[in-house]
Amino acid sequence: MNITIDPPPVASALSFVQRSTSSAWATYLSQIDRVTPYLGKLAPLAETLRRPKRALIVDVPIERDDGSFAHFEGYRVQHSLSRGPGKGGVRFHPNVSLEEVMALAGWMTIKNAAINLPFGGAKGGVRIEPRLYSKKELERVTRRYTSEIGVIIGPQQDIAAPDVNTDAQVMAWMMDTYDMNTGLASTGVVTGKPIHLGGSLGRKKATGRGVFVMGCETMRRLGMPLEGARVAVQGFGNVGSVAAELFAAAGAKVVAVQDVDATVFNASGLDVVALAADARAQGEIAGFSGGEAITREAFWEVGCDVLIPAAMEGAIDAARAKKIAARLILEGANGPTLPEADDVFAARGIVVVPDVLCNAGGVTVSYFEWVQDFASFFWTEEQINARLAKIILDALDHVWRKAEELKLPLRTAAFVVACERVLIAHVERGLYP
Ligand code: GLU
């Protein structure tokens, strides 16, 4: 019998508190280190933020289309449930590991608290290169993974959503599997579902829209004109492509776009609508005729005013931070900037709107979807977009004022606001037993 283990296993965290030198989890822990001195009486409790509440590792075996078997490793981490049920996406990617999912779950705790959504933080993932598997195989991976994590998820326990390489279809399979296993007809166990299955209008574009809304407001505050502003976007998936289209439609010039395979540049502005159509048709931007192909590294030196990293964590190290020409960084991805790059940006006076604010539009509309599912009463897209803008701009304003008061970069200020909220909830609940 042919059994494949693909991609091969990687060394994972042996314990929650083990700190490897360069990983998303190390970045997260260093961000917690940086905020701790500003937490006053709550500072000794920050240890709880350094330890996920619960982490589940599952084997995901499937029968392949050719009759052979394959195994994958899957994870669901509930970092904190102090402020409400766990909430966070599920990603399919060959680099998924326990440490990565721990970091992403930690960032969800901070994000949900910074925006003041009534959720804790969670994240899931399967280590798989989805491009190598058929749709039917991915359905089997999704269903078996959902079944295995079924013991800890649920509409009042932990709610999943799309993330890298997962979409509304994957959420439909997750919901159906959960409902089959529980005998319930509950829609609120996942968000980002298809509209016909209880999904919310505006959810698909919400993360990219949030980046745009946050970007416009920050530019206004910094006195940067939107008209003609040069924007560079790394990552052209659901976040980067939507943000690029909204910026272009508002009069900005998207001068460079990078996806997994290629980088295209046009100093007088790319036709983003045509580029997105190409990307949808071919699954990549390589070969786009409306721009010049440049090297991957040259992307970071492109003349631009706004840079949107909207791909993966760890994209910007100190060396890249020194080259970047932008005055404003809008983090569409989770964890794209390493702590030493944050220091370079701070020294150079470059403003970073951190992931936990900048890409929170997605989980904010996930919250709306969850609320609509419970009420079985659905809102219009106008209502959703207006409520989205109000909630995230209020959060930005709150963090901005905290940053001015404490003379901190926006990231640390967002962590101060969020960690205070999480730790106060932690204290009010008390320790059991
Ligand atoms: N995966 C998205 C994020 O990282 C959305 C999470 C959600 O909607 O729960 O924020």
Side-chain angles (χ1 to χ4, degrees):
M1 195 186 305
N2 179 15
I3 300 185
T4 55
I5 300 176
D6 179 29
V10 294
S12 279
L14 297 175
S15 96
F16 285 162
V17 286
Q18 179 175 309
R19 194 182 283 234
S20 63
T21 46
S22 70
S23 71
W25 181 240
T27 299
Y28 168 80
L29 289 176
S30 141
Q31 292 167 351
I32 296 294
D33 290 345
R34 287 175 177 212
V35 70
T36 305
Y38 300 96
L39 295 178
K41 283 204 300 273
L42 296 167
L45 299 173
E47 185 61 21
T48 193
L49 300 167
R50 296 190 175 90
R51 295 163 182 266
K53 175 182 174 61
R54 187 178 285 145
L56 182 60
I57 306 180
V58 297
D59 177 32
V60 183
I62 63 151
E63 186 171 347
R64 296 206 58 185
D65 294 343
D66 65 5
S68 66
F69 295 92
H71 285 262
F72 307 93
E73 201 160 290
Y75 312 88
R76 184 75 186 171
V77 174
Q78 295 170 347
H79 175 268
S80 168
L81 303 180
S82 292
R83 302 183 74 254
K87 183 84 194 83
V90 169
R91 70 169 55 172
F92 289 172
H93 194 278
N95 294 343
V96 166
S97 66
L98 177 60
E99 272 201 34
E100 186 199 44
V101 179
M102 280 161 50
L104 293 164
W107 284 321
M108 288 309 303
T109 297
I110 303 297
K111 189 186 307 186
N112 292 331
I115 301 293
N116 218 358
L117 304 178
F119 291 131
K123 199 82 174 200
V126 178
R127 189 159 67 245
I128 182 172
E129 172 47 87
R131 298 203 265 191
L132 302 178
Y133 296 88
S134 72
K135 188 172 176 189
K136 277 282 158 209
E137 289 171 332
L138 292 175
E139 177 175 352
R140 291 195 280 273
V141 167
T142 304
R143 288 185 180 278
R144 183 60 188 255
Y145 166 71
T146 307
S147 227
E148 294 298 335
I149 64 163
V151 286
I152 60 167
I153 61 169
Q156 301 280 18
Q157 291 165 274
D158 182 359
I159 305 117
D163 196 76
V164 175
N165 293 328
T166 57
D167 58 10
Q169 175 63 80
V170 172
M171 293 305 113
W173 292 328
M174 285 193 79
M175 182 181 90
D176 186 63
T177 306
Y178 179 82
D179 286 356
M180 289 287 156
N181 284 346
T182 56
L184 303 170
S186 69
T187 48
V189 63
V190 294
T191 57
K193 300 178 286 293
I195 302 294
H196 296 109
L197 299 181
S200 177
L201 295 169
R203 174 62 186 87
K204 193 169 160 35
K205 295 196 167 180
T207 313
R209 176 175 294 280
V211 171
F212 171 70
V213 168
M214 291 288 206
C216 291
E217 174 60 15
T218 311
M219 289 171 81
R220 191 190 66 75
R221 286 173 185 240
L222 297 176
M224 293 170 70
L226 183 57
E227 187 65 42
R230 295 162 306 160
V231 181
V233 185
Q234 188 222 10
F236 208 58
N238 192 44
V239 181
S241 68
V242 172
E245 284 191 53
L246 289 170
F247 270 108
K253 253 188 336 191
V254 177
V255 292
V257 168
Q258 179 169 87
D259 74 356
V260 247
D261 305 300
T263 308
V264 291
F265 171 74
N266 187 335
S268 38
L270 293 157
D271 178 346
V272 186
V273 175
L275 188 64
D278 258 33
R280 268 192 302 275
Q282 292 153 30
E284 57 178 22
I285 59 170
F288 181 65
S289 54
E292 168 198 345
I294 58 170
T295 66
R296 295 196 76 69
E297 209 43 47
F299 172 83
W300 303 103
E301 287 171 85
V302 157
C304 63
D305 305 298
V306 179
L307 174 75
I308 307 179
M312 300 295 282
E313 59 269 14
I316 305 175
D317 58 12
R320 283 182 180 165
K322 286 182 192 144
K323 293 194 245 177
I324 288 168
R327 192 173 155 211
L328 173 63
I329 314 288
L330 301 174
E331 292 188 336
N334 290 310
T337 308
L338 294 177
E340 50 274 26
D342 267 335
D343 295 339
V344 174
F345 287 142
R348 295 183 58 205
I350 295 169
V351 173
V352 180
V353 184
D355 47 7
V356 293
L357 289 176
C358 200
N359 71 31
V363 72
T364 302
V365 177
S366 278
Y367 164 58
F368 298 162
E369 181 172 330
W370 184 72
V371 168
Q372 291 170 84
D373 286 343
F374 276 123
S376 291
F377 183 72
F378 292 86
W379 312 347
T380 64
E381 194 157 355
E382 291 68 38
Q383 287 172 319
I384 285 159
N385 288 341
R387 286 172 174 165
L388 167 64
K390 164 102 180 82
I391 287 182
I392 61 176
L393 291 180
D394 282 354
L396 177 67
D397 183 60
H398 189 76
V399 169
W400 197 280
R401 281 187 281 119
K402 184 64 87 180
E404 280 178 346
E405 178 195 320
L406 299 176
K407 300 198 172 25
L408 289 173
L410 289 173
R411 188 188 316 282
T412 313
F415 269 65
V416 172
V417 169
C419 293
E420 280 177 359
R421 287 181 180 151
V422 176
L423 294 177
I424 287 169
H426 181 73
V427 170
E428 284 172 345
R429 278 174 180 270
L431 266 193
Y432 173 86

